Amino acid sequence: MPMAPLILLVAAAVAQPAPPAPQSVPSGPGGRLFISPMGEPFRPRSRDDHPLADWFNQADTNHDGYLTVGEMVKDAERFFAVLDLNHDGEIDPDEITHYEEVIAPEIRSGPNYAMELAGDSGGGERYGHGHGGGGGHRGRGGNGGERYKARGGAEDMHQGAARYGLLNLPEPVVAADTDFNRGVSLNEFRQAAVQRFVALDIDHHGRLTLPELEATHPAAADEPTKETSPDAAPPPPE
């Protein structure tokens, strides 16, 4: 996305007056990891903690109960500074590795995570499935791979960070590399923030609320389950 439309989108969102903020006590699943749309992990300190609400309240800098695209971009800029260890204005492959192995190692769990990212990009990069700044919304499009049984019995086929976040992005930082140069610039990260805000703003109100995001956030995935082959022998009688 060119910078001119990006600036216009931010300006339009800021110009719109916000209605009274909704009153909400976090009701989503507590006590579980949450990975923000830009890839930042928020870990619970107790079973009663709500990491999704922690991220929302951090990004909502004016604390009016609404998250705007401008606040989403500012939050992305803050996390970019954390990832850009050498402060050269780009998240390079070594810093991506540091993100995946140190900052958010949970996204690499599951035996099929590497295959999900190993699409043929022409240069042997691990940038493949799920690549792109916007990312698919949950439930749109299916991936192969290991199934995780979510609370309530539903199966979660998402991989990597998508199992802990709001968007179907197995690796949210790498997904912002839209020019496929094996690095993520600050401008690319800003653009990804705008695109991900638009993907989450399903009703096109120009702002997000915590209750809306809690409704999007799925039940926590529990232990991986093995798929049963139709030719497999039935379990022995009890």
Side-chain angles (χ1 to χ4, degrees):
M1 179 185 293
M3 285 303 296
L6 169 61
I7 294 172
L8 290 174
L9 180 57
V10 173
V14 172
Q16 296 176 5
Q23 301 299 314
S24 171
V25 175
S27 58
R32 62 163 295 197
L33 170 70
F34 172 71
I35 293 183
S36 78
M38 300 311 297
E40 183 174 10
F42 287 78
R43 297 178 179 87
R45 291 163 294 182
S46 73
R47 294 182 62 86
D48 297 325
D49 281 351
H50 291 270
L52 169 56
D54 292 341
W55 166 73
F56 184 93
N57 293 329
Q58 171 184 277
D60 177 22
T61 53
N62 63 359
H63 306 296
D64 66 349
Y66 292 94
L67 185 61
T68 65
V69 65
E71 289 172 324
M72 186 96 157
V73 170
K74 288 294 184 184
D75 193 61
E77 292 173 346
R78 178 196 54 76
F79 188 47
F80 183 93
V82 173
L83 299 174
D84 183 18
L85 298 174
N86 61 6
H87 309 295
D88 67 348
E90 181 174 84
I91 306 169
D92 59 38
D94 288 340
E95 289 164 340
I96 289 171
T97 298
H98 182 265
Y99 165 69
E100 295 176 352
E101 295 183 352
V102 178
I103 296 178
E106 295 91 347
I107 72 173
R108 304 191 75 171
S109 63
N112 295 303
Y113 172 73
M115 289 194 299
E116 283 293 316
L117 297 181
D120 183 10
S121 57
E125 297 100 335
R126 48 189 178 156
Y127 306 165
H129 191 88
H131 189 72
H137 204 279
R138 281 193 171 271
R140 298 179 186 174
N143 300 335
E146 183 178 18
R147 295 189 177 187
Y148 283 77
K149 186 69 71 174
R151 292 172 189 168
E155 285 183 335
D156 185 356
M157 293 293 291
H158 292 87
Q159 295 288 324
R163 296 186 7 246
Y164 306 105
L166 301 171
L167 296 168
N168 188 11
L169 293 169
E171 215 293 15
V173 176
V174 165
D177 176 22
T178 52
D179 63 7
F180 297 93
N181 71 342
R182 296 177 58 82
V184 180
S185 69
L186 178 57
N187 188 50
E188 285 177 318
F189 216 57
R190 287 169 174 155
Q191 291 178 12
V194 171
Q195 293 166 2
R196 295 171 194 184
F197 179 92
V198 171
L200 291 169
D201 185 19
I202 300 172
D203 296 326
H204 310 294
H205 292 154
R207 55 184 66 90
L208 304 173
T209 67
L210 182 56
E212 289 171 342
L213 297 180
E214 286 175 338
T216 302
H217 198 38
D222 291 326
E223 295 300 322
T225 61
K226 295 182 180 179
E227 295 187 52
T228 302
S229 168
D231 299 326
E238 296 182 358

